[in-house]
Amino acid sequence: MIKDKLLTDNPELLHYIADKLHITILGGIKLTGLDRLKVTLKMICTDNKQVTFRHSLDLYNYIQTAQLIERSAETLDVSTTDINLVIGQLITELENYRATYLESLKPKPQEIRKLTDAERKAALTFLKSPDLLKQTQAAILQSGIIGEETNAIIAYLIYTSRKRNTPLHLMCLGASGTGKTWLQEKVGELIPEEDKLEITTLSTNAFYYFGKEELKHKLLLIEDLDGADNVLYPLRELQSKRRISKTVTLKDSKGNMKTVTLNVEGPVCVSGCTTKEQLYEDNANRCILLYMDNSPEQDKRIMDYQRRISAGKVDQYEERKVREQLKNVQRLLKPISVRNPYAPYLNLPDAVFKPRRTMLLLLMFTETITYYHQYQRELKTDQDTGEQYIESTPADIEAAIALLETALLKKSDELNDACRTFFEKLKSWLKQNQTETFYSKDIRSILRITPSSMQRYLHELELMGYIKIVRGSRYKGFEYKVNSWNDLESLTNNTRQIVKDILETINAVVRNPTVTQTDDGLHKPQRTNKKKEVTQ
């Protein structure tokens, strides 16, 4: 007697061998849609191999399965009892095969690497550096990142926020070839492997089938948001609500329909790259935006580094050593609450668009800087709740504003980054040539801009009143004149004056607390007789 077995060597051509029947599943089975089991069967009776029965059906459909048993029994001259038994066993084997295969596709959880005493001591010494942000910025550059000093430290701090209950999110913006993916990838290499998940493309429902806590406090690196277009909605929900859920219907073992809710919990830190800021505006509103440096100076730095790499003049071992050190620094950071007693003094320029979310991002970024300095802060205890926390300092606020100065200016500018860059280059060229008017065909060739981009920029600038048409026609070309010469300077000065006033106010009403802690970091709770309040 032949023992029933399912042969799965070829996923597209499964074989099920029973005592009297040999069944081939043509095209295999679908791994998605667990509420159905659609197959195309080729059935042969071992007693008469000249007769073949083929049929396509859903094995979970009772009527279709009953018809299969009846018609195959008649064609193959086998009793319905035998076929019914074989089909039941086949369904069980296919379910087990699908479950096993799906389980094998799940990424195995990364083991948290334990630090040696030497590694822990080095990481702790690093975290206690008096000028921690400067030390971190220098280490990031030593890890192999060329240029983009400010963008790199901002990205590193945002990725650090994944350990908090309210993580930040990042979107890298820029034209094709300006280094968006490269920056995200290189800074991502400074995060421990067990804390990140790199994604190229995702199917529509992919996020809902992660384990309930599989994404918790993870960094999601999305190479190109165009490749994740199908999952932008659940991605936004993960960013805002820090959890997603989906209700689906499934059949139980008896064929009855039942409702099941799939829950995936965050929080997660999301980082993505795109050239289309306006297309992903809803996601961009939830992120800190980084604009890539596409200056000629940055091009030279990158090309020089590429030449030195090719010539073997870059110490890649030292770069890897620095990357490992920064990973160890990340592993040493612990969950701790952060409070910012100076938040009431923070204001945004009136020109900032969507001030509610911009203010939230600024506050969260300040808290992240405080969190990163946790080994240099006094650990306090709330006398009412017993919660332990650390407090932000004026230095944290000043560092946050200094790092996000460009981002805040972008939030205040009604022109997008590409159009603003074009406009500033245009004004610079006009000033050099001591003229106020220009033809698009002349500027296009000088600034090396495609006709479509030129047309889009001019239309946007004219629509917002930055330039106007003084003469010309659609056929001969239009002559344009600049209306606004100092808009960016005024915006920058106003923003910096507001920041200066905020910092002066904060420094006038507060004093830095004394730092007390054990040699091993945050292990010594500090209790006070009453709450300390900041008063003006």
Side-chain angles (χ1 to χ4, degrees), residues 73-98:
E74 181 180 348
T75 302
L76 301 175
D77 193 20
V78 179
S79 69
T80 55
T81 302
D82 290 341
I83 292 184
N84 184 46
L85 179 61
V86 171
I87 293 300
Q89 294 170 341
L90 172 64
I91 292 174
T92 301
E93 289 291 333
L94 290 177
E95 287 175 336
N96 293 336
Y97 164 71
R98 181 159 61 179

Side-chain angles (χ1 to χ4, degrees), residues 344-367:
Y345 299 98
L346 292 177
N347 291 306
L348 292 175
D350 294 335
V352 170
F353 296 101
K354 299 181 177 65
R356 298 179 186 180
R357 280 186 171 162
T358 303
M359 173 59 76
L360 181 60
L361 292 174
L362 177 59
L363 291 172
M364 290 170 62
F365 191 71
T366 302
E367 292 176 9

Side-chain angles (χ1 to χ4, degrees), residues 330-530:
Q330 290 286 320
R331 293 185 175 106
L332 216 57
L333 295 174
K334 303 172 183 177
I336 185 69
S337 296
V338 176
R339 297 185 184 182
N340 183 359
Y342 318 125
Y345 299 98
L346 292 177
N347 291 306
L348 292 175
D350 294 335
V352 170
F353 296 101
K354 299 181 177 65
R356 298 179 186 180
R357 280 186 171 162
T358 303
M359 173 59 76
L360 181 60
L361 292 174
L362 177 59
L363 291 172
M364 290 170 62
F365 191 71
T366 302
E367 292 176 9
T368 300
I369 291 178
T370 304
Y371 174 80
Y372 189 56
H373 285 81
Q374 60 181 249
Y375 285 93
Q376 302 181 30
R377 297 288 186 266
E378 178 184 11
L379 184 62
K380 300 186 176 182
T381 304
D382 189 309
Q383 298 301 304
D384 294 331
T385 65
E387 180 187 27
Q388 294 185 330
Y389 64 94
I390 55 177
E391 285 187 350
S392 299
T393 66
D396 296 339
I397 298 173
E398 188 171 0
I401 293 175
L403 288 172
L404 294 184
E405 179 182 13
T406 301
L408 290 175
L409 285 174
K410 300 291 184 183
K411 291 283 187 180
S412 305
D413 196 351
E414 60 183 348
L415 299 179
N416 62 44
D417 183 61
C419 189
R420 168 58 69 184
T421 301
F422 164 77
F423 191 40
E424 294 306 310
K425 288 181 179 179
L426 171 64
K427 290 190 294 185
S428 177
W429 182 85
L430 292 175
K431 289 177 181 179
Q432 290 177 3
N433 289 271
Q434 299 181 348
T435 180
E436 294 183 351
T437 62
F438 65 93
Y439 284 93
S440 61
K441 61 180 180 181
D442 298 330
I443 294 298
R444 190 188 69 78
S445 59
I446 293 171
L447 299 184
R448 301 175 66 182
I449 297 175
T450 62
S452 59
S453 297
M454 171 64 74
Q455 186 176 6
R456 185 172 67 253
Y457 297 152
L458 293 178
H459 174 72
E460 186 174 346
L461 291 171
E462 184 187 1
L463 190 65
M464 295 185 178
Y466 288 89
I467 61 175
K468 67 178 182 180
I469 298 174
V470 292
R471 65 173 63 86
S473 67
R474 180 179 177 183
Y475 303 100
K476 295 181 179 179
F478 294 107
E479 186 178 7
Y480 295 89
K481 181 180 180 180
V482 173
N483 284 336
S484 179
W485 288 93
N486 301 315
D487 60 301
L488 183 60
E489 289 80 358
S490 299
L491 182 64
T492 302
N493 292 335
N494 291 340
T495 300
R496 288 177 177 171
Q497 184 59 47
I498 291 175
V499 169
K500 182 180 178 182
D501 294 342
I502 291 171
L503 295 176
E504 287 179 353
T505 301
I506 290 175
N507 286 315
V509 299
V510 301
R511 61 186 178 85
N512 294 331
T514 304
V515 177
T516 56
Q517 59 184 201
T518 65
D519 293 336
D520 200 25
L522 291 176
H523 297 292
K524 185 178 180 182
Q526 301 297 315
R527 293 185 176 272
T528 56
N529 294 327
K530 60 181 180 178

Side-chain angles (χ1 to χ4, degrees), residues 260-288:
V260 176
T261 301
L262 306 174
N263 293 301
V264 179
E265 294 183 358
V268 298
C269 173
V270 180
S271 177
C273 304
T274 183
T275 60
K276 306 171 184 177
E277 175 183 356
Q278 295 178 338
L279 183 62
Y280 303 108
E281 183 177 2
D282 284 344
N283 291 78
N285 290 336
R286 294 164 171 81
C287 302
I288 290 179

Side-chain angles (χ1 to χ4, degrees), residues 120-311:
R120 180 180 179 82
K121 184 177 180 180
L124 192 59
T125 301
F126 187 94
L127 284 168
K128 290 184 177 181
S129 301
D131 49 354
L132 179 57
L133 288 182
K134 289 184 179 179
Q135 292 282 356
T136 303
Q137 194 169 33
I140 289 174
L141 296 179
Q142 292 168 9
S143 71
I145 295 178
I146 307 302
E148 301 286 7
E149 292 90 348
T150 301
N151 283 343
I153 185 66
I154 291 175
Y156 183 75
L157 290 170
I158 291 174
Y159 294 172
T160 300
S161 73
R162 76 193 182 282
K163 291 195 169 188
R164 305 189 64 232
N165 290 327
T166 54
L168 289 159
H169 310 285
L170 178 67
M171 185 177 288
C172 299
L173 300 165
S176 179
T178 54
K180 304 179 299 298
T181 305
W182 174 81
L183 178 67
Q184 177 177 274
E185 178 184 338
K186 297 297 288 185
V187 179
E189 290 178 357
L190 310 179
I191 304 299
E193 288 75 14
E194 63 268 19
D195 288 350
K196 64 184 177 183
L197 180 63
E198 299 182 60
I199 298 171
T200 304
T201 58
L202 284 168
S203 61
T204 305
N205 296 315
F207 272 121
Y208 298 103
Y209 290 99
F210 280 102
K212 186 176 181 180
E213 296 189 355
E214 190 175 348
L215 297 181
K216 206 165 188 177
H217 295 295
K218 287 289 193 296
L219 168 63
L220 303 184
L221 298 171
I222 302 176
E223 185 175 321
D224 191 338
L225 286 174
D226 293 340
D229 187 56
N230 293 329
V231 296
L232 290 182
Y233 175 71
L235 200 60
R236 287 196 296 270
E237 293 299 292
L238 271 175
Q239 290 174 303
S240 299
K241 298 181 179 179
R242 297 185 285 279
R243 59 181 173 82
I244 55 174
S245 62
K246 183 175 183 176
T247 302
V248 297
T249 56
L250 298 175
K251 288 184 180 180
D252 59 18
S253 58
K254 297 181 180 179
N256 300 318
M257 302 298 293
K258 63 177 182 179
T259 300
V260 176
T261 301
L262 306 174
N263 293 301
V264 179
E265 294 183 358
V268 298
C269 173
V270 180
S271 177
C273 304
T274 183
T275 60
K276 306 171 184 177
E277 175 183 356
Q278 295 178 338
L279 183 62
Y280 303 108
E281 183 177 2
D282 284 344
N283 291 78
N285 290 336
R286 294 164 171 81
C287 302
I288 290 179
L289 308 181
L290 293 188
Y291 295 88
M292 297 300 103
D293 182 1
N294 59 353
S295 65
E297 292 76 18
Q298 176 67 0
D299 292 340
K300 291 178 181 178
R301 287 192 288 266
I302 293 291
M303 290 187 291
D304 179 61
Y305 180 76
Q306 291 171 340
R307 288 190 288 264
R308 288 190 290 115
I309 282 280
S310 180

